[in-house]
Amino acid sequence: MLNMSKNLLIIESPNKIETIGKYLKNEDFKIMATIGHIRDLSTRGMGFDEKTLEPKWIIPTGKKRGIRNEKSKQEIINEIKTEAAKATKIYLATDPDREGEAIAWHVYEILNDKDKAKCFRITFNEITKPAILKALENPRKIDIRWVQSQFARRILDRLVGYRLSKLVREKMRGTSAGRVQTVALKFIYDREKDIERFKETKWWTVDVTLENNAKLILRDLPAVIRKKVNLTKTEEEEGSGIDFADATSAQLVVDALEKTFKIYAIDDPTQKNSNPREPYKTSTLQQDAINKLGWNVGKVTIVAQHLYEGIKIKGEHVALISYPRTDSIRIATTFSDMAKDFILKKYGEKYYQMRHFTNNKKAESENVQDAHEAIRIIDPFTTPESLKSIITREEYSLYKLIWTRTMAAFMTPARYETTIVRLQNNNCKFYTYNRRLIFDGYRKIYQHYQDNETEYDIQVSKLKVGQTLKMLNVEAKEHTSMPPPRFNQASLIKALDEAGVGRPSTYRSMANMAVERGYAKLDSRAYVMLPIGNTVVEGLNQYFPEILDKEFTKKMEEHLDDIANHDAGWKEWILRDFKPKFDKELSTAQTEMIKPEPEQVGRPCPQCGKPLIYRTSKRTGVQFIGCSGFPQCKYAEFPNSPKRVVLDEKCPLCGKNLVERTNRRGQPFVGCSGFPKCRYIRKVDKNGKIIEFKNDKPKFAKSNKFKKKGKKKS
């Protein structure tokens, strides 16, 4: 007889099992993980019926490379079915977003009718005991609208990505294209064109420094001088000083100034608040971590997921932050109360300000995944310093960033006092100012992240009307306008977010795609378009201008949101409006586009004598020089790859020369030139000690010969 006492809780990541198990140790639960999706669209054809859009689901075969002891998806499904048959209730607790909803639906679909009747959907935004118990007390049905929205996204991505990728490979010698990622490439392309079109302008200012190191700003000129100079901007127009069109005009003012300035007015001090920023959402966390920690978007995503799933602290897994993929900035009342308690105890009442965080208009119109909260810490009393010696340096850095931003959001504004001091010299009027912090507020904990909020002290208390100050320095300073900066990962994510193009789950792939597919490179962390990238954008923009248009992509995202939040049919819009037009554009492009002739290098292949051409790897997107006689001749050169330096030293294992090499992370090491047959490796640790790996066993490819002979591998 089956044991019917256990409840079954199904989650996505096995990393959460220990943390959740600790909270449910007194409950009768079996916890299992799907390890992501258990079913996916078929890889044969488009993966769905092109007439009806009905998905064709398959169970993926194989295992991820590099993961030991990982079960296949079929094994996971078999175990879920076995445990489901024993369970009294089945709780589907996959992630609280549309993808998680779809994974829950797939689990539900593999069960028989009897076990389906036991299923309940629960979600929690943080892995804590109260959140999990509350979720178990409030189960619901699977939201089929969210599931269908995810279906529509996957099918649109397949429909556009598969077909455009084939066109790009056949007609443009590119690698691939995608519905959303190619729009990100268009952002980079457009910025590059803005830089090319940019024409610099020059202007001059009169910059004065006084004996007390005060910097003066020119705000007005007497009529006699104004008639003689050429201005590009007056103080009255902009409020930031007078600009001159040429050096001669600026120098005329410089020559008119005497050695001393007289204070003719000191304005009454004014106070202004500097408010703390709202809590993090996915895009703003990624931007700050890239800019302030120097990370890339991939590292931010991985470390944030670790903090959410749970970190080993004193032998126990403890979750430190809420769900890290969100468009929301809402904060739960329970946490707001905890934040208040911490601030009052730690800093006092004058530092606390009650705040309610509501989402922007985009969220209010339901065009965001607003089912969960902002990215916040779990417990204010778990300070970064209390964890510094326990968690890794990366985990500490990101947790400190999130802790600081979260707690600062509930603190009072910082208050600054500004005093304007007005001076004149030979009827030319200048001003300077004194800015000082009179109450630190949230900046009591936000010191490390100043965000351009600075003090400027000219010791205004020592100044009075009628006083004269000596001029320390004056110059007619030349200024040159700068072109718009190239995108880096942070600024690209910000632009995509503001345009309403990306979503929390897509920012990482959108930021990485251009480089991974060989369409752009990173130079000093900034994207620089490569020729093949320009070709792909220009070709696609000619025949598919709507798909590359950010407004069209935004409307697509809004339609996916409508499917999730309302009863908008998920197939009708694609079949009626999008697919017919896309099919027509694709047919035109396939007919009219002419495949460009490969660019020749200008010298013959040293192996077969045929012309060498520039090529792009379909697998990695790397550009290289190859033989036009491929595949008969496989000669290739990689001019952009760092040249290996052959050392005057022999391998201790095989006697061949050692060479300097780099790994995938760009870290240098010394290896054998006989690789892969000889796998001798030598590298140096942080203390300069040589570490040797003397593995001389060659790595053989997997073979089916044992199956054919009916033998087992030894």
Side-chain angles (χ1 to χ4, degrees), residues 59 92 101 300 459 555 635:
I59 299 170
L92 307 175
E101 202 77 12
V300 182
Q459 297 181 322
K555 288 178 182 177
Y635 177 80

Side-chain angles (χ1 to χ4, degrees), residues 130-385:
I132 293 168
L133 294 179
K134 183 178 179 181
L136 289 168
E137 292 170 0
N138 297 277
R140 60 172 173 82
K141 294 181 179 180
I142 292 173
D143 191 332
I144 195 62
R145 298 176 304 177
W146 276 38
V147 176
Q148 290 175 343
S149 177
Q150 186 66 15
F151 289 174
R153 177 181 293 279
R154 294 281 284 116
I155 285 173
L156 273 171
D157 289 345
R158 280 281 181 97
L159 182 64
V160 175
Y162 273 30
R163 290 183 168 179
L164 286 188
S165 295
K166 182 180 179 181
L167 180 74
V168 163
R169 287 192 294 268
E170 291 178 350
K171 301 291 186 178
M172 306 177 209
R173 301 190 180 279
T175 52
S176 60
R179 180 184 68 86
V180 177
Q181 287 85 350
T182 305
V183 177
L185 184 65
K186 179 69 160 46
F187 272 63
I188 301 170
Y189 173 88
D190 288 343
R191 177 58 59 88
E192 201 71 33
K193 293 303 174 185
D194 289 341
I195 294 171
E196 290 176 9
R197 288 190 294 266
F198 172 78
K199 294 181 180 180
E200 71 174 30
T201 58
K202 293 182 182 294
W203 72 96
W204 284 258
T205 58
V206 174
D207 290 9
V208 177
T209 305
L210 298 182
E211 59 182 313
N212 63 348
N213 289 318
K215 309 292 183 183
L216 301 190
I217 301 167
L218 179 61
R219 71 171 299 270
D220 196 14
L221 294 169
V224 64
I225 294 179
R226 190 178 287 268
K227 291 177 181 178
K228 299 178 183 180
V229 298
N230 298 314
L231 303 179
T232 62
K233 177 175 68 67
T234 67
E235 198 278 342
E236 289 80 8
E237 292 172 345
E238 298 290 340
S240 59
I242 293 176
D243 294 343
F244 298 89
D246 51 68
T248 303
S249 297
Q251 190 61 42
L252 193 150
V253 176
V254 170
D255 295 340
L257 295 179
E258 299 173 351
K259 296 296 183 182
T260 58
F261 285 74
K262 184 177 182 179
I263 300 174
Y264 70 88
I266 299 177
D267 295 358
D268 292 334
T270 59
Q271 293 187 7
K272 186 178 180 181
N273 286 346
S274 171
N275 294 307
R277 297 192 175 187
E278 63 194 19
Y280 281 129
K281 56 183 180 178
T282 301
S283 61
T284 51
L285 173 63
Q286 290 173 344
Q287 292 167 46
D288 256 14
I290 291 168
N291 289 329
K292 294 174 180 176
L293 303 181
W295 293 4
N296 60 49
V297 64
K299 184 174 181 178
V300 182
T301 304
I302 292 169
V303 178
Q305 187 69 16
H306 288 170
L307 296 176
Y308 166 66
E309 291 178 347
I311 301 297
K312 206 84 169 181
I313 299 177
K314 296 180 180 179
E316 289 189 347
H317 262 74
V318 178
L320 296 176
I321 67 169
S322 60
Y323 191 58
R325 289 188 291 280
T326 174
D327 271 350
S328 176
I329 59 166
R330 289 190 299 105
I331 295 287
T333 304
T334 51
F335 180 82
S336 298
D337 293 340
M338 293 171 65
K340 177 181 179 180
D341 186 39
F342 176 85
I343 294 169
L344 292 179
K345 288 180 179 177
K346 181 73 174 177
Y347 305 113
E349 189 172 350
K350 65 179 180 178
Y351 282 96
Y352 173 73
Q353 176 173 288
M354 183 174 65
R355 295 184 71 190
H356 298 287
F357 298 98
T358 57
N359 293 301
N360 54 27
K361 292 180 180 179
K362 184 173 69 171
E364 289 165 3
S365 62
E366 298 183 309
N367 292 332
V368 296
Q369 293 180 19
D370 194 34
H372 27 83
E373 296 180 65
I375 301 172
R376 60 164 175 81
I377 55 172
I378 299 298
D379 182 4
F381 290 89
T382 305
T383 63
E385 294 308 312

Side-chain angles (χ1 to χ4, degrees), residues 110 167 190 271 284 464 567 571 579:
I110 64 162
L167 180 74
D190 288 343
Q271 293 187 7
T284 51
K464 59 183 180 180
D567 291 322
K571 295 180 181 179
K579 190 172 181 297

